[in-house]
Amino acid sequence: MAEDGDVVSPSPAAAWSRLRLRQSTHLRDLTDETTFSMAHLVQPVFVVEGLAAPEPIAGLGDNARHGEQDALARIGRDLEAGVRHVLLFAVPGERDDRPARFPVMAQAVRAIKTAFGDALHLWVDICLCAWTRHGHCALFDDRGGIDLGPTLASLGAAAVSAADAGADGISPSDMMDGRTASLRQALDEAGHQRVTMMSYSTKFASHFYGPFRGAADSAPRHGDRRHYQIDVRARHDALASSVRCAREGADLLMVKPGLTSLDLIDPIRTSTGRLVGAYQVSGEYASLVGLAERGFGDFDALLRETLLVFRRAGAGYVITYGARRGRTLGLAG
Ligand code: PBG
């Protein structure tokens, strides 16, 4: 018990997290809770190894799979359109049973940061589903169960190589138990205390990821992801997952899919004190594209409405394939 007059020292992990989130204008504006502008949007970008020309992604409007050079051009245009946060998905040409090296990702990160420096905050999605032959987010043991230790080691290697290459933040989307603490430790041990972590903290097993899995070539070759992603019916499990991520040191939390998790944003915010973002996933975005294509609504009006609703529900930031259209929707910045 602290005596009167004792100074209670803050937990170093929490202090580091605050320090990380206050270190740049991009992060201070992202975590601002009272306005809604370009500062609060995150644009996903796909870089595919060895791709000569961009390939449109079915259902996702002007989003495409890019080779490295082409991705640089795309990001250049996105920055001109006001985008400040990019979430990079790297897709390798070859897969492995035990991925240990992540060269396409590191190379893309280096190229993007060399070209644009601090004009953007570059987040890198960390998962194994685009790197493993079976397309699952984990490694398996001989009996077909998740091999947690090697999975965490592999994720750690990916995170450290992204950070070594100059990533500003990592964004683990695998949903393995304990990965947030394990990745924070791996980053800190490699001297990356300032690298931010935006953790997919409440991620459901969902039917809304369809267009993405084509884009990242990450559909599981067998089975599904229900043994590591959260069941849509499981409210307490969903809340507990974000609470665990916060305790393990995630700087920013996230619900995903955004639309089907609106009710959880505020409770997570209240129980963790952390900022919670929403990922408007590929299937949600494609449903707006589909409505507009069939003449049932104006695309930008539909998109604007969904983004406002995320904000109304308490989302601190929104990851959306339409971040680059923000100014067209009337957002400042
Ligand atoms: C990889 C990952 C997925 C998404 C983001 N990271 C797919 C999945 O979990 O199957 C989905 C994003 C989207 O649908 O837009 N683990």
Side-chain angles (χ1 to χ4, degrees), residues 240-257:
S241 179
S242 272
V243 169
R244 267 197 319 275
C245 275
R247 283 209 192 106
E248 290 181 25
D251 301 308
L252 299 171
L253 304 176
M254 189 200 304
V255 294
K256 172 187 172 189

Side-chain angles (χ1 to χ4, degrees), residues 89 125 127 129 137 173 200 203 208-209 212-213 225 229 256 279 281-282 321:
F89 290 95
D125 186 271
C127 195
C129 55
C137 308
S173 65
Y200 289 69
K203 174 172 172 180
F208 281 95
Y209 305 146
F212 172 93
R213 289 183 181 170
R225 304 211 203 288
Q229 298 180 346
K256 172 187 172 189
Y279 195 146
V281 298
S282 57
Y321 296 94

